[in-house]
Amino acid sequence: MTDDARDGDIAAAEADLPVIDMSVPSIARVYDAFVGGKDNYEVDRALYRQVLEFAPEAPAFAREHRDWLIRVVRFLAGTAGIDQFLDCGSGLPTAENTHQVAQRVNSEARVVYVDNDPVVQAHGRALLEENDRTRFVAGDLTDPAALLADPMVRGHLDFNRPLALIQCSTIHHVPDSQDPNGIMVAYIDALPSGSYVALTHWYDPADGSGVSATARRIQDLFNNGGLGSATFRSRAQIESLFTGLELLEPGLTRIADWWPSGPRLKPLADIDDIVLGGVGRKP
Ligand SMILES: C[S@@+](CC[C@H](N)C(=O)[O-])C[C@H]1O[C@@H](n2cnc3c(N)ncnc32)[C@H](O)[C@@H]1O
């Protein structure tokens, strides 16, 4: 780290501002590059370009992934009648954010976003806290006890009424050593009956296929590229993250297969197979 960068970090810490390290990529910023955002740096785009070399459909797939979240939130706020959302690992603001989708269906819907990335904290907070029904918490989703006790979370969401927990593309960043299942159990235990959990997760069929090879290349790239942990898991492992919930139809599927908004006009690419998603309801 240069002296200037160190001085910047010290100044940010003294002013209690999030410290942004532009010398290593961040998950939130790399994801932002994939969905066509502007809150990313060269170090993030370098990783993005490396993925493009073997998975050129990755940016289109990132958009499909966001579309999955939009379909799910529309369903939850509408048909399921959910009016409060805890969106863990919200990422940088993009088109569209959870509160925009939910509040279009129900203008009273309340959303708490959580992310631990300094750029999300610095740039995203203002956009995500767009009105008095949305809040942003700079928190760690791997510490459910602390997050669920956070005054902002408790003050804004009513845990005596059903709510929706969103873990969209987050738990694969939690290594086995941090007990992702234990983390999900803690969240699910805290949810009242009638609540929902929406979750997507990177999937490796581990069958020697091209899909599995793509999954492993992405996992290696993330783990060796300074991005921290990324773990592709099996279908059974991902399903186990829904323990205590009833999976809604059509179950745990490729995101393109979860209640698509219309007929498929072109074949799916290999990369469409590397994420599974589903929505569970707490009985
Ligand atoms: C791949 S992005 C997904 C963004 C969004 N949920 C979506 O699906 O469009 C993962 C997000 O999770 C956040 N994240 C990863 N680990 C986290 C942690 N331990 N606590 C809070 N946020 C975390 C990252 O900063 C990033 O913004």
Side-chain angles (χ1 to χ4, degrees), residues 150-173:
D150 185 282
M152 186 81 88
V153 174
R154 285 283 156 185
H156 200 62
L157 304 176
D158 177 0
F159 278 74
N160 295 310
R161 294 196 302 109
L163 54 97
L165 170 74
I166 298 175
Q167 293 283 8
C168 190
S169 204
T170 52
I171 299 296
H172 47 242
H173 296 303

PDB file of all heavy atoms in Angstrom, residues 150-173:
ATOM      1  N   ASP A 150     -29.699  -5.773  15.689  1.00  0.00           N
ATOM      2  CA  ASP A 150     -29.372  -4.400  15.302  1.00  0.00           C
ATOM      3  C   ASP A 150     -30.607  -3.496  15.485  1.00  0.00           C
ATOM      4  O   ASP A 150     -31.709  -3.834  15.028  1.00  0.00           O
ATOM      5  CB  ASP A 150     -28.931  -4.384  13.836  1.00  0.00           C
ATOM      6  CG  ASP A 150     -28.455  -3.008  13.397  1.00  0.00           C
ATOM      7  OD1 ASP A 150     -29.318  -2.138  13.128  1.00  0.00           O
ATOM      8  OD2 ASP A 150     -27.228  -2.818  13.332  1.00  0.00           O
ATOM      9  N   PRO A 151     -30.434  -2.351  16.155  1.00  0.00           N
ATOM     10  CA  PRO A 151     -31.587  -1.485  16.414  1.00  0.00           C
ATOM     11  C   PRO A 151     -32.311  -1.043  15.144  1.00  0.00           C
ATOM     12  O   PRO A 151     -33.534  -0.896  15.136  1.00  0.00           O
ATOM     13  CB  PRO A 151     -30.968  -0.286  17.128  1.00  0.00           C
ATOM     14  CG  PRO A 151     -29.617  -0.727  17.587  1.00  0.00           C
ATOM     15  CD  PRO A 151     -29.186  -1.861  16.723  1.00  0.00           C
ATOM     16  N   MET A 152     -31.550  -0.855  14.054  1.00  0.00           N
ATOM     17  CA  MET A 152     -32.183  -0.451  12.791  1.00  0.00           C
ATOM     18  C   MET A 152     -33.078  -1.575  12.267  1.00  0.00           C
ATOM     19  O   MET A 152     -34.201  -1.341  11.798  1.00  0.00           O
ATOM     20  CB  MET A 152     -31.097  -0.126  11.768  1.00  0.00           C
ATOM     21  CG  MET A 152     -31.613   0.434  10.489  1.00  0.00           C
ATOM     22  SD  MET A 152     -31.954   2.178  10.652  1.00  0.00           S
ATOM     23  CE  MET A 152     -30.327   2.843  10.245  1.00  0.00           C
ATOM     24  N   VAL A 153     -32.577  -2.803  12.333  1.00  0.00           N
ATOM     25  CA  VAL A 153     -33.351  -3.951  11.850  1.00  0.00           C
ATOM     26  C   VAL A 153     -34.593  -4.121  12.719  1.00  0.00           C
ATOM     27  O   VAL A 153     -35.722  -4.224  12.217  1.00  0.00           O
ATOM     28  CB  VAL A 153     -32.483  -5.245  11.871  1.00  0.00           C
ATOM     29  CG1 VAL A 153     -33.319  -6.469  11.523  1.00  0.00           C
ATOM     30  CG2 VAL A 153     -31.304  -5.107  10.915  1.00  0.00           C
ATOM     31  N   ARG A 154     -34.381  -4.125  14.037  1.00  0.00           N
ATOM     32  CA  ARG A 154     -35.505  -4.332  14.965  1.00  0.00           C
ATOM     33  C   ARG A 154     -36.505  -3.173  14.917  1.00  0.00           C
ATOM     34  O   ARG A 154     -37.709  -3.364  15.060  1.00  0.00           O
ATOM     35  CB  ARG A 154     -34.982  -4.467  16.403  1.00  0.00           C
ATOM     36  CG  ARG A 154     -34.339  -5.784  16.666  1.00  0.00           C
ATOM     37  CD  ARG A 154     -35.401  -6.873  16.851  1.00  0.00           C
ATOM     38  NE  ARG A 154     -34.830  -8.185  16.543  1.00  0.00           N
ATOM     39  CZ  ARG A 154     -35.519  -9.313  16.518  1.00  0.00           C
ATOM     40  NH1 ARG A 154     -36.809  -9.329  16.758  1.00  0.00           N
ATOM     41  NH2 ARG A 154     -34.928 -10.449  16.225  1.00  0.00           N
ATOM     42  N   GLY A 155     -35.981  -1.963  14.718  1.00  0.00           N
ATOM     43  CA  GLY A 155     -36.859  -0.795  14.735  1.00  0.00           C
ATOM     44  C   GLY A 155     -37.681  -0.657  13.466  1.00  0.00           C
ATOM     45  O   GLY A 155     -38.780  -0.111  13.474  1.00  0.00           O
ATOM     46  N   HIS A 156     -37.145  -1.166  12.382  1.00  0.00           N
ATOM     47  CA  HIS A 156     -37.805  -0.943  11.089  1.00  0.00           C
ATOM     48  C   HIS A 156     -38.680  -2.122  10.684  1.00  0.00           C
ATOM     49  O   HIS A 156     -39.647  -1.942   9.938  1.00  0.00           O
ATOM     50  CB  HIS A 156     -36.730  -0.688  10.030  1.00  0.00           C
ATOM     51  CG  HIS A 156     -37.236  -0.007   8.810  1.00  0.00           C
ATOM     52  ND1 HIS A 156     -37.794   1.249   8.808  1.00  0.00           N
ATOM     53  CD2 HIS A 156     -37.295  -0.433   7.525  1.00  0.00           C
ATOM     54  CE1 HIS A 156     -38.164   1.568   7.591  1.00  0.00           C
ATOM     55  NE2 HIS A 156     -37.875   0.570   6.793  1.00  0.00           N
ATOM     56  N   LEU A 157     -38.308  -3.329  11.138  1.00  0.00           N
ATOM     57  CA  LEU A 157     -39.075  -4.529  10.775  1.00  0.00           C
ATOM     58  C   LEU A 157     -39.735  -5.091  12.030  1.00  0.00           C
ATOM     59  O   LEU A 157     -39.158  -5.053  13.108  1.00  0.00           O
ATOM     60  CB  LEU A 157     -38.151  -5.595  10.150  1.00  0.00           C
ATOM     61  CG  LEU A 157     -37.332  -5.159   8.932  1.00  0.00           C
ATOM     62  CD1 LEU A 157     -36.403  -6.295   8.488  1.00  0.00           C
ATOM     63  CD2 LEU A 157     -38.223  -4.721   7.773  1.00  0.00           C
ATOM     64  N   ASP A 158     -40.932  -5.628  11.859  1.00  0.00           N
ATOM     65  CA  ASP A 158     -41.687  -6.191  12.986  1.00  0.00           C
ATOM     66  C   ASP A 158     -41.591  -7.716  12.903  1.00  0.00           C
ATOM     67  O   ASP A 158     -42.208  -8.336  12.031  1.00  0.00           O
ATOM     68  CB  ASP A 158     -43.144  -5.723  12.874  1.00  0.00           C
ATOM     69  CG  ASP A 158     -44.017  -6.319  13.957  1.00  0.00           C
ATOM     70  OD1 ASP A 158     -43.497  -7.091  14.792  1.00  0.00           O
ATOM     71  OD2 ASP A 158     -45.226  -6.003  13.964  1.00  0.00           O
ATOM     72  N   PHE A 159     -40.795  -8.296  13.827  1.00  0.00           N
ATOM     73  CA  PHE A 159     -40.582  -9.741  13.795  1.00  0.00           C
ATOM     74  C   PHE A 159     -41.753 -10.524  14.389  1.00  0.00           C
ATOM     75  O   PHE A 159     -41.666 -11.736  14.564  1.00  0.00           O
ATOM     76  CB  PHE A 159     -39.248 -10.102  14.474  1.00  0.00           C
ATOM     77  CG  PHE A 159     -38.076  -9.932  13.548  1.00  0.00           C
ATOM     78  CD1 PHE A 159     -37.607  -8.664  13.223  1.00  0.00           C
ATOM     79  CD2 PHE A 159     -37.456 -11.027  12.957  1.00  0.00           C
ATOM     80  CE1 PHE A 159     -36.550  -8.499  12.345  1.00  0.00           C
ATOM     81  CE2 PHE A 159     -36.396 -10.884  12.081  1.00  0.00           C
ATOM     82  CZ  PHE A 159     -35.943  -9.610  11.770  1.00  0.00           C
ATOM     83  N   ASN A 160     -42.845  -9.832  14.706  1.00  0.00           N
ATOM     84  CA  ASN A 160     -44.066 -10.533  15.122  1.00  0.00           C
ATOM     85  C   ASN A 160     -44.990 -10.776  13.939  1.00  0.00           C
ATOM     86  O   ASN A 160     -46.053 -11.384  14.091  1.00  0.00           O
ATOM     87  CB  ASN A 160     -44.814  -9.720  16.184  1.00  0.00           C
ATOM     88  CG  ASN A 160     -43.992  -9.628  17.448  1.00  0.00           C
ATOM     89  OD1 ASN A 160     -43.516 -10.645  17.940  1.00  0.00           O
ATOM     90  ND2 ASN A 160     -43.786  -8.416  17.943  1.00  0.00           N
ATOM     91  N   ARG A 161     -44.606 -10.254  12.775  1.00  0.00           N
ATOM     92  CA  ARG A 161     -45.415 -10.453  11.563  1.00  0.00           C
ATOM     93  C   ARG A 161     -44.530 -11.059  10.487  1.00  0.00           C
ATOM     94  O   ARG A 161     -43.315 -10.813  10.482  1.00  0.00           O
ATOM     95  CB  ARG A 161     -45.962  -9.106  11.065  1.00  0.00           C
ATOM     96  CG  ARG A 161     -46.967  -8.448  11.990  1.00  0.00           C
ATOM     97  CD  ARG A 161     -47.735  -7.355  11.255  1.00  0.00           C
ATOM     98  NE  ARG A 161     -46.860  -6.323  10.699  1.00  0.00           N
ATOM     99  CZ  ARG A 161     -46.622  -6.173   9.396  1.00  0.00           C
ATOM    100  NH1 ARG A 161     -47.174  -6.967   8.502  1.00  0.00           N
ATOM    101  NH2 ARG A 161     -45.836  -5.198   8.972  1.00  0.00           N
ATOM    102  N   PRO A 162     -45.110 -11.821   9.542  1.00  0.00           N
ATOM    103  CA  PRO A 162     -44.286 -12.445   8.506  1.00  0.00           C
ATOM    104  C   PRO A 162     -43.452 -11.425   7.732  1.00  0.00           C
ATOM    105  O   PRO A 162     -43.898 -10.304   7.473  1.00  0.00           O
ATOM    106  CB  PRO A 162     -45.329 -13.100   7.583  1.00  0.00           C
ATOM    107  CG  PRO A 162     -46.511 -13.335   8.451  1.00  0.00           C
ATOM    108  CD  PRO A 162     -46.533 -12.195   9.439  1.00  0.00           C
ATOM    109  N   LEU A 163     -42.268 -11.843   7.406  1.00  0.00           N
ATOM    110  CA  LEU A 163     -41.402 -11.004   6.575  1.00  0.00           C
ATOM    111  C   LEU A 163     -40.641 -11.891   5.605  1.00  0.00           C
ATOM    112  O   LEU A 163     -40.709 -13.117   5.700  1.00  0.00           O
ATOM    113  CB  LEU A 163     -40.474 -10.154   7.438  1.00  0.00           C
ATOM    114  CG  LEU A 163     -39.596 -10.828   8.490  1.00  0.00           C
ATOM    115  CD1 LEU A 163     -38.226 -11.052   7.950  1.00  0.00           C
ATOM    116  CD2 LEU A 163     -39.520  -9.960   9.729  1.00  0.00           C
ATOM    117  N   ALA A 164     -39.924 -11.267   4.696  1.00  0.00           N
ATOM    118  CA  ALA A 164     -39.134 -12.035   3.726  1.00  0.00           C
ATOM    119  C   ALA A 164     -37.659 -11.758   3.952  1.00  0.00           C
ATOM    120  O   ALA A 164     -37.245 -10.598   4.067  1.00  0.00           O
ATOM    121  CB  ALA A 164     -39.521 -11.650   2.300  1.00  0.00           C
ATOM    122  N   LEU A 165     -36.892 -12.839   4.033  1.00  0.00           N
ATOM    123  CA  LEU A 165     -35.434 -12.749   4.102  1.00  0.00           C
ATOM    124  C   LEU A 165     -34.904 -13.034   2.705  1.00  0.00           C
ATOM    125  O   LEU A 165     -35.256 -14.062   2.109  1.00  0.00           O
ATOM    126  CB  LEU A 165     -34.893 -13.795   5.082  1.00  0.00           C
ATOM    127  CG  LEU A 165     -33.375 -13.981   5.064  1.00  0.00           C
ATOM    128  CD1 LEU A 165     -32.680 -12.798   5.732  1.00  0.00           C
ATOM    129  CD2 LEU A 165     -32.976 -15.282   5.749  1.00  0.00           C
ATOM    130  N   ILE A 166     -34.073 -12.142   2.200  1.00  0.00           N
ATOM    131  CA  ILE A 166     -33.497 -12.357   0.875  1.00  0.00           C
ATOM    132  C   ILE A 166     -31.998 -12.626   1.015  1.00  0.00           C
ATOM    133  O   ILE A 166     -31.279 -11.831   1.632  1.00  0.00           O
ATOM    134  CB  ILE A 166     -33.736 -11.125  -0.026  1.00  0.00           C
ATOM    135  CG1 ILE A 166     -35.238 -10.922  -0.211  1.00  0.00           C
ATOM    136  CG2 ILE A 166     -33.063 -11.319  -1.380  1.00  0.00           C
ATOM    137  CD1 ILE A 166     -35.591  -9.674  -0.984  1.00  0.00           C
ATOM    138  N   GLN A 167     -31.588 -13.759   0.487  1.00  0.00           N
ATOM    139  CA  GLN A 167     -30.154 -14.120   0.441  1.00  0.00           C
ATOM    140  C   GLN A 167     -29.870 -14.441  -1.022  1.00  0.00           C
ATOM    141  O   GLN A 167     -29.741 -15.599  -1.411  1.00  0.00           O
ATOM    142  CB  GLN A 167     -29.863 -15.339   1.333  1.00  0.00           C
ATOM    143  CG  GLN A 167     -30.020 -15.111   2.812  1.00  0.00           C
ATOM    144  CD  GLN A 167     -28.845 -14.345   3.436  1.00  0.00           C
ATOM    145  OE1 GLN A 167     -27.954 -13.843   2.732  1.00  0.00           O
ATOM    146  NE2 GLN A 167     -28.847 -14.236   4.750  1.00  0.00           N
ATOM    147  N   CYS A 168     -29.805 -13.390  -1.821  1.00  0.00           N
ATOM    148  CA  CYS A 168     -29.655 -13.562  -3.261  1.00  0.00           C
ATOM    149  C   CYS A 168     -28.169 -13.480  -3.601  1.00  0.00           C
ATOM    150  O   CYS A 168     -27.572 -12.398  -3.508  1.00  0.00           O
ATOM    151  CB  CYS A 168     -30.462 -12.479  -3.987  1.00  0.00           C
ATOM    152  SG  CYS A 168     -30.595 -12.726  -5.745  1.00  0.00           S
ATOM    153  N   SER A 169     -27.580 -14.625  -3.921  1.00  0.00           N
ATOM    154  CA  SER A 169     -26.184 -14.653  -4.346  1.00  0.00           C
ATOM    155  C   SER A 169     -25.238 -14.221  -3.228  1.00  0.00           C
ATOM    156  O   SER A 169     -24.288 -13.471  -3.468  1.00  0.00           O
ATOM    157  CB  SER A 169     -26.029 -13.736  -5.570  1.00  0.00           C
ATOM    158  OG  SER A 169     -24.927 -14.094  -6.328  1.00  0.00           O
ATOM    159  N   THR A 170     -25.508 -14.677  -2.028  1.00  0.00           N
ATOM    160  CA  THR A 170     -24.674 -14.287  -0.884  1.00  0.00           C
ATOM    161  C   THR A 170     -24.004 -15.476  -0.194  1.00  0.00           C
ATOM    162  O   THR A 170     -22.820 -15.404   0.135  1.00  0.00           O
ATOM    163  CB  THR A 170     -25.524 -13.561   0.182  1.00  0.00           C
ATOM    164  OG1 THR A 170     -26.658 -14.376   0.491  1.00  0.00           O
ATOM    165  CG2 THR A 170     -25.984 -12.202  -0.299  1.00  0.00           C
ATOM    166  N   ILE A 171     -24.762 -16.561   0.034  1.00  0.00           N
ATOM    167  CA  ILE A 171     -24.252 -17.620   0.919  1.00  0.00           C
ATOM    168  C   ILE A 171     -23.070 -18.373   0.284  1.00  0.00           C
ATOM    169  O   ILE A 171     -22.254 -18.956   0.994  1.00  0.00           O
ATOM    170  CB  ILE A 171     -25.398 -18.584   1.336  1.00  0.00           C
ATOM    171  CG1 ILE A 171     -26.479 -17.798   2.108  1.00  0.00           C
ATOM    172  CG2 ILE A 171     -24.896 -19.716   2.204  1.00  0.00           C
ATOM    173  CD1 ILE A 171     -26.025 -17.200   3.444  1.00  0.00           C
ATOM    174  N   HIS A 172     -22.939 -18.324  -1.044  1.00  0.00           N
ATOM    175  CA  HIS A 172     -21.747 -18.968  -1.629  1.00  0.00           C
ATOM    176  C   HIS A 172     -20.477 -18.177  -1.297  1.00  0.00           C
ATOM    177  O   HIS A 172     -19.381 -18.652  -1.541  1.00  0.00           O
ATOM    178  CB  HIS A 172     -21.888 -19.201  -3.143  1.00  0.00           C
ATOM    179  CG  HIS A 172     -22.388 -18.021  -3.909  1.00  0.00           C
ATOM    180  ND1 HIS A 172     -23.567 -18.038  -4.610  1.00  0.00           N
ATOM    181  CD2 HIS A 172     -21.876 -16.786  -4.092  1.00  0.00           C
ATOM    182  CE1 HIS A 172     -23.752 -16.872  -5.202  1.00  0.00           C
ATOM    183  NE2 HIS A 172     -22.741 -16.087  -4.900  1.00  0.00           N
ATOM    184  N   HIS A 173     -20.636 -16.989  -0.756  1.00  0.00           N
ATOM    185  CA  HIS A 173     -19.457 -16.253  -0.289  1.00  0.00           C
ATOM    186  C   HIS A 173     -19.143 -16.567   1.173  1.00  0.00           C
ATOM    187  O   HIS A 173     -18.245 -15.973   1.755  1.00  0.00           O
ATOM    188  CB  HIS A 173     -19.660 -14.746  -0.488  1.00  0.00           C
ATOM    189  CG  HIS A 173     -19.782 -14.369  -1.934  1.00  0.00           C
ATOM    190  ND1 HIS A 173     -18.805 -14.658  -2.867  1.00  0.00           N
ATOM    191  CD2 HIS A 173     -20.781 -13.764  -2.638  1.00  0.00           C
ATOM    192  CE1 HIS A 173     -19.199 -14.248  -4.060  1.00  0.00           C
ATOM    193  NE2 HIS A 173     -20.390 -13.707  -3.950  1.00  0.00           N
TER     194      HIS A 173
END
